[in-house]
Amino acid sequence: MREVPTNNWSRILPGIALCTAISLAAMGLQAIEEHWTGRPWLEALVIAILLGTILRTAWTPGPRWTPGINFSAKTLLEVAVVLLGASISFQAVMQAGLGLIIGIAAVVAVAILASYGLCRLLGLPKRMAVLVACGNSICGNSAIAAVAPVIGAKPEDVASSIAFTAVLGVIVVLTLPILVPLLGLSLTQYGVLAGLTVYAVPQVLAATVPIGLVSTQLGTLVKLVRVLMLGPVVIVLSILGGRETSTSKTGLSLKKLVPWFIIGFLGLAALRSFGVIPEAILSAILPTATMLTIISMAALGLGVDLKVLGRVGGRVTLAVTLSLLVLVSISLGLIWLLGLS
């Protein structure tokens, strides 16, 4: 990460303050939502994008705000990705068993390739296709936010991908339990299905708690293994991106192939796994990562032109929906293949 010279802080502070204010408003709205409905149907991350987009539609930020908005959308997001590594524990992953771990990795890989192919067939740009594929196949908003800086995605691509993925995420939580009686799924089978298809960990809880404790425990574990796939996927995308942008020069460095924040992400994951990070520090790292991500999403919202979203809305909706159906089908196939009962 590049240091920001002291004389530049005065340039970026107004934009950071604006993004922070939007983020605090989003968190307040989520708290109100939880108070009245009992759960956050729209997370603060999504609300921040929506508020930023609404503000950008009514008002175009001038030169005073732009440096800080850009800093929030890029650098703060990269820092958040690093801190998210502290949420991964390799020991918890190994408890799932080698067969299931390999199966989860295979589901993620096949789902990404299938989703990307569908998006391209529907005419979506390459970068947006990658965002939709990774968001659907791994962990929704967090995957999109982590992949975006690696592939150089445009703010409108990120915002539209997250917006449509968020809507479908809520729909999945509401409709997935219906498959239990329709398909005659056991608690174990439904837990695996929920862990493989629902986007966020809180949403896994919302989708599985009404079904049973076994489904909740297994669904959460499968979800954590699925989230761990984000690291390898982002590294692969970094390497592929480095190859695409390289010329005849040889000897690409690790720094060019793998961004600093991905190395940081894996480093923190390793430290967490070896128990090096004290619990007190860990309890502060994760909320900080969440807050920085929300601020970054507010910044991305401030860079979105609703007219652009309107032009791609129908195609993105269809692409995300079809990708999700593919993911559900592949997940059911894995459950059948492993003979889970």
Side-chain angles (χ1 to χ4, degrees), residues 59-104:
W59 167 68
T60 302
R64 179 187 179 190
W65 310 97
T66 303
I69 292 173
N70 293 338
F71 180 84
S72 299
K74 184 179 186 299
T75 304
L76 291 188
L77 178 56
E78 293 174 346
V79 173
V81 171
V82 172
L83 296 179
L84 283 173
S87 65
I88 302 299
S89 171
F90 296 134
Q91 286 88 346
V93 172
M94 295 308 297
Q95 292 176 6
L98 184 59
L100 184 56
I101 291 174
I102 295 174
I104 294 170

Side-chain angles (χ1 to χ4, degrees), residues 188-215:
T188 298
Q189 291 170 334
Y190 179 72
V192 173
L193 178 64
L196 286 171
T197 55
V198 177
Y199 294 145
V201 174
Q203 290 177 336
V204 171
L205 297 177
T208 56
V209 167
I211 303 301
L213 180 60
V214 173
S215 295

Side-chain angles (χ1 to χ4, degrees), residues 1 36 43 56 67 76 82 86 114 129 148 157 166 170 178 198-199 217 233 249 261 267 269 276 337:
M1 179 179 63
W36 287 105
E43 297 178 358
R56 173 63 178 83
L76 291 188
V82 172
D157 291 344
V170 173
I178 298 174
V198 177
Y199 294 145
Q217 292 174 336
V233 167
K249 296 180 180 179
F261 54 92
V276 176
L337 186 63

